[in-house]
Amino acid sequence: MPTKKGLPVEDAVTGARTELIRTVDVPIEPLWELITDVTRFGEWSPECIYGAWLDDASPGPRAGARFEGRSRYADGFVSRVICEVTESRPPYVFGWVVLDDAEDPGRPGSIWRFELSRADGPGRTRLLHSFEHGPGVTGTRLAAERDPSSLPKRLQGMDQNMAATIEAMVRHAHVRRR
């Protein structure tokens, strides 16, 4: 198995993370509505092209709710994943895991999280958006097994996509407020 700094690749991939922190001119409640509407992620994200709640009877951002996500990568490949909400504390925290084929939330492929807090000034929100690779099997893990240098490149691309997604959400919120 390839290694990175003497560790097996699985240890180098598990826990790999990126996060961004922004203070935006959007009140916390409307921002919460945007970050928890997974059906609209495809409108804002350069990578995620589709999202849908899987429980029609009780959709929405509640712990245990599942949704499907689809992402299109630079090479044209489209992946389909099942996600499970792990935390929903309106309007402050929304987190979910991306399940691998084993569908074990305790061993996810990745862990995503938004944390919101009121910022200085009226109508401003501090947003932290994070991604952490879990112990599950993902395309990122498989790529890192073949080429360990792919992991930092992937994290950099994710950071850029996360920033673009937040910027698009903020633009949408400003248009809605007019």
Side-chain angles (χ1 to χ4, degrees), residues 12-13 53 60 67 86 94-95 101 110 129 145 152:
V13 174
W53 294 106
F67 61 93
T86 54
F94 181 58
D101 289 343
S110 58
H129 185 25
E145 288 174 355

Side-chain angles (χ1 to χ4, degrees), residues 32-169:
W32 169 263
E33 290 174 20
L34 296 175
I35 66 166
T36 59
D37 189 352
V38 301
T39 67
R40 307 221 29 217
F41 278 12
E43 296 175 38
W44 302 309
S45 171
E47 189 170 287
C48 177
I49 58 171
Y50 174 85
W53 294 106
L54 296 176
D55 183 358
D56 292 336
S58 182
R62 61 177 172 74
R66 287 192 172 192
F67 61 93
E68 175 185 345
R70 295 182 199 153
S71 293
R72 178 176 294 118
Y73 301 94
D75 64 1
F77 177 75
V78 175
S79 71
R80 177 189 175 271
V81 295
I82 302 300
C83 305
E84 184 172 312
V85 177
T86 54
E87 190 170 8
S88 180
R89 288 189 294 122
Y92 302 107
V93 179
F94 181 58
W96 69 94
V97 294
V98 176
L99 304 173
D100 68 6
D101 289 343
E103 292 195 25
D104 178 358
R107 292 190 49 81
S110 58
I111 303 153
W112 292 84
R113 185 176 176 90
F114 283 100
E115 295 178 27
L116 306 178
S117 59
R118 297 182 198 284
D120 291 340
R124 302 190 79 211
T125 303
R126 180 184 179 274
L127 175 148
L128 181 144
H129 185 25
S130 64
F131 161 88
E132 181 175 333
H133 202 288
V137 177
T138 66
T140 298
R141 180 177 300 286
L142 297 175
E145 288 174 355
R146 290 187 305 274
D147 176 10
S149 71
S150 68
L151 182 59
K153 293 174 192 169
R154 175 67 179 134
L155 291 174
Q156 181 182 22
M158 292 180 78
D159 191 62
Q160 293 167 350
N161 289 342
M162 290 162 60
T165 300
I166 297 306
E167 290 165 12
M169 285 180 174

Side-chain angles (χ1 to χ4, degrees), residues 16-34:
R17 71 179 276 121
T18 188
E19 69 179 35
L20 59 87
I21 299 172
R22 300 282 189 274
T23 299
V24 298
D25 291 323
V26 179
I28 196 168
E29 290 82 5
L31 188 57
W32 169 263
E33 290 174 20
L34 296 175

